[in-house]
Amino acid sequence: MRPAAPLILAAILLAAALPGLAACGSGTDPNVVKVAYNRSTNTKNRFKDAFLTRMKKQFEKANPGKRIKLVPIQAQENDYATKVQQMMRSDRTAPDVVYEDTFRMGSDIEAGYLRPLDRYLRVWRPWERFAASAKEAVRAADGRTYGVPDGTDTRALWYDRAVFARAGLPADWRPRDWDDVLDAARTVRRRVPDVVPLNVYTGKAPGEGAVMQGFEMLLYGTGDDPLYDAQARRWVTGGAGFRQALGFVRTVYREHLGPDVSDALDANVSTAVTSEWLPEGRLAIDLDGSWLGQYWLPSGSRPWPAWSTRLAYTPMPTRTGAPPGRVSMSGGWAWAVSARCDKPDLAWKFVETLQTQRNAADWDIVAAQIAVRSDVARDPRYLRSMPSTAFFTDLVRDTHYRPALPAYPRVSSAIGEALEAVTTGDSSPEAAARAYDRRLRSITDGAVTAAAHGGGPGADGGGGTGTDRGGDAGTDPGSGTGTGHPTGNPTGKAGPRR
């Protein structure tokens, strides 16, 4: 058990660093609901602040005498989670409503930070319209539900049509396997040397941006080595697929196909991607999320009218092109009520305000989220909101979710260390996988199982991607933009529990 003194000191420092937090939690004004949420470190990215300010005004108008106090926490993802957890440890600093990344909810529930919402959800009619997979994402091992999700996301390869034209690559690019992706990047490096060929998020500082968006987009395309064996209730050690995913990352940075290593390992790399590298034509291919367009809209942090014609998107292929031929990862955030909240009925009323059909649609539009409600998925405004909506919604059919288990944040941290080791060249994929196994056994008290061994390690030193060929990428007549089914259930495939 950790000593109490450091926790007390952390709470004092947190209260001093974040003005107004000392007024949160129990024993405060019964008419005031404190709402903690993550504010982007990009000072130009304030769409969330604007939306919540509008929700605050709407709630206060409908509930005379009641007030919403917004508590923005401007921090990177991991720092935000740490600060919120510190806040929820104390009656004095705990918010009433908190914005939670669903993959962290398991650990926060286990720690006793969140309040179950079942008694509200049982009589809340809109809950019937939420996709089953979205509900599962906020349901704990005890069978109770602890949050209301406000959307999801998917991931794919974005690419710059103009850079591809300069490199002689097809405008309707659709890579069949990992080698096709690497070959396209090598072609860009050779023919357009002033452009970064391929961005794959990596390392410790970007947190889940690297682990989920980089590594797991690769791992779940290897076909045999998931992170967690739900049937055995054990975490999976780093087998062939794990090493192959690390091998792909090692190849990107060893062959100088990615950004400079110092840039790749920067916690703010995603801001550089969206505000500089892509808009300025300095990046050819980016393994990234469905939400990117939000930054480039007229209301975004970096308006870029040409993005919808300059950029295209295509599914990330599986390692060898094996069925289903493409892979995606999905996550999402949810609104939860703190266990220390002394006015849960009023806090829930604000969550209801956030989740009227119109407000839910407005949020999915402004945040470029993939809808998790059937009524929002049919909303004409949502369907017209962005040219990429149909493509990224269709990817849900082949998406995967992270294990929503208390140990996952620590497992994620161990993966980040393995990624950083192969990115800097300090470890081979095999050595990094062995180090991960040791960490995993410690994190889970030995609750591990051996990975399946299928497909073989490939020719790249046992941890590579396969043939590791260096020729030009061939053309593929497949569509680079795809078609989707946005009028249907946006999360029709439940997938593994996240």
Side-chain angles (χ1 to χ4, degrees):
M1 178 180 252
R2 297 180 183 176
L7 296 183
I8 295 171
L9 178 59
I12 293 171
L13 292 176
L14 178 64
L18 298 171
L21 292 191
C24 297
S26 297
T28 59
D29 191 332
N31 296 313
V32 178
V33 175
K34 287 85 176 179
V35 181
Y37 68 97
N38 56 332
R39 171 182 279 170
S40 173
T41 56
N42 182 346
T43 57
K44 296 181 179 179
N45 184 358
R46 291 292 179 262
F47 68 88
K48 188 179 298 178
D49 302 71
F51 176 81
L52 289 174
T53 297
R54 187 159 61 85
M55 295 301 98
K56 164 184 163 70
K57 292 177 180 177
Q58 189 179 118
F59 178 86
E60 292 174 350
K61 183 178 179 180
N63 299 276
K66 310 301 183 184
R67 290 195 304 113
I68 298 297
K69 181 176 177 57
L70 298 177
V71 186
I73 300 173
Q74 186 167 325
Q76 292 294 335
E77 182 178 310
N78 288 343
D79 292 337
Y80 169 74
T82 299
K83 290 178 181 179
V84 165
Q85 288 168 345
Q86 289 173 341
M87 290 165 64
M88 291 192 293
R89 289 171 182 160
S90 167
D91 287 341
R92 189 171 62 88
T93 58
D96 298 304
V97 176
V98 61
Y99 201 40
E100 287 260 332
D101 192 327
T102 54
F103 94 91
R104 294 187 186 275
M105 290 186 71
S107 58
D108 284 352
I109 292 165
E110 185 181 57
Y113 295 150
L114 302 180
R115 178 185 295 270
L117 302 177
D118 301 81
R119 74 182 182 94
Y120 302 109
L121 296 171
R122 277 194 292 267
V123 295
W124 188 52
R125 292 293 298 276
W127 193 235
E128 301 171 0
R129 304 180 186 118
F130 282 71
S133 57
K135 292 179 178 180
E136 184 68 14
V138 291
R139 186 178 297 121
D142 64 8
R144 296 186 291 181
T145 298
Y146 287 80
V148 176
D150 64 357
T152 190
D153 46 41
T154 52
R155 287 150 179 81
L157 294 165
W158 294 74
Y159 63 97
D160 188 316
R161 286 188 174 109
V163 173
F164 266 46
R166 291 171 61 193
L169 293 168
D172 59 351
W173 182 57
R174 184 154 186 168
R176 294 159 296 188
D177 54 26
W178 287 5
D179 282 325
D180 279 355
V181 176
L182 291 173
D183 283 349
R186 293 179 181 120
T187 299
V188 171
R189 182 197 60 194
R190 192 166 56 252
R191 298 178 181 175
V192 195
D194 58 331
V195 169
V196 175
L198 171 63
N199 175 55
V200 177
Y201 293 110
T202 189
K204 295 182 290 186
E208 276 297 280
V211 174
M212 178 193 190
Q213 213 152 291
F215 177 81
E216 290 174 11
M217 280 290 292
L218 296 163
L219 177 66
Y220 281 86
T222 62
D224 48 23
D225 293 350
L227 286 175
Y228 183 75
D229 186 330
Q231 185 172 358
R233 295 187 178 182
R234 290 179 175 270
W235 291 87
V236 177
T237 56
F242 195 97
R243 296 192 301 272
Q244 288 158 358
L246 291 178
F248 184 97
V249 174
R250 184 184 69 163
T251 297
V252 169
Y253 290 96
R254 183 188 62 188
E255 295 189 17
H256 306 288
L257 302 176
D260 289 342
V261 170
S262 60
D263 291 330
L265 299 180
D266 190 321
N268 297 308
V269 61
S270 62
T271 299
V273 168
T274 56
S275 64
E276 300 171 22
W277 299 355
L278 284 173
E280 295 170 9
R282 295 161 51 190
L283 174 61
I285 307 167
D286 180 33
L287 181 55
D288 223 311
S290 53
W291 59 86
L292 293 197
Q294 69 174 316
Y295 300 112
W296 306 319
L297 297 174
S299 59
S301 59
R302 207 293 192 186
W304 181 24
W307 78 268
S308 60
T309 55
R310 176 76 180 250
L311 299 181
Y313 20 84
T314 191
M316 178 66 189
T318 54
R319 184 178 74 90
T320 63
R326 62 183 191 171
V327 65
S328 186
M329 295 295 300
S330 289
W333 290 67
W335 291 102
V337 175
S338 167
R340 296 183 184 273
C341 173
D342 62 349
K343 53 188 85 68
D345 292 349
L346 192 60
W348 169 254
K349 206 166 188 178
F350 182 65
V351 175
E352 284 186 310
T353 298
L354 292 169
Q355 285 296 320
T356 66
Q357 192 279 335
R358 183 171 185 84
N359 288 344
D362 285 350
W363 172 248
D364 283 347
I365 290 168
V366 74
Q369 292 271 350
I370 302 300
V372 295
R373 292 173 52 156
S374 59
D375 52 352
V376 173
R378 293 192 296 266
D379 191 311
R381 296 178 305 124
Y382 167 74
L383 297 175
R384 295 193 304 265
S385 63
M386 204 169 295
S388 55
T389 297
F391 168 82
F392 282 102
T393 299
D394 182 61
L395 290 179
V396 175
R397 292 187 300 165
D398 296 305
T399 202
H400 301 271
Y401 299 90
R402 296 162 290 182
L405 298 168
Y408 178 80
R410 288 174 291 160
V411 173
S412 172
S413 178
I415 294 172
E417 291 181 7
L419 279 172
E420 188 147 328
V422 299
T423 299
T424 59
D426 290 342
S427 289
S428 66
E430 294 77 19
R434 288 194 296 271
Y436 169 77
D437 287 352
R438 291 192 293 271
R439 283 285 311 277
L440 186 67
R441 289 187 175 90
S442 174
I443 290 167
T444 64
D445 293 327
V448 300
T449 186
H453 297 287
D460 190 10
T465 63
T467 58
D468 197 22
R469 62 183 184 265
D472 291 352
T475 59
D476 189 317
S479 169
T481 55
T483 58
H485 307 284
T487 57
N489 184 342
T491 50
K493 176 185 174 185
R497 184 178 179 186
R498 45 174 169 163

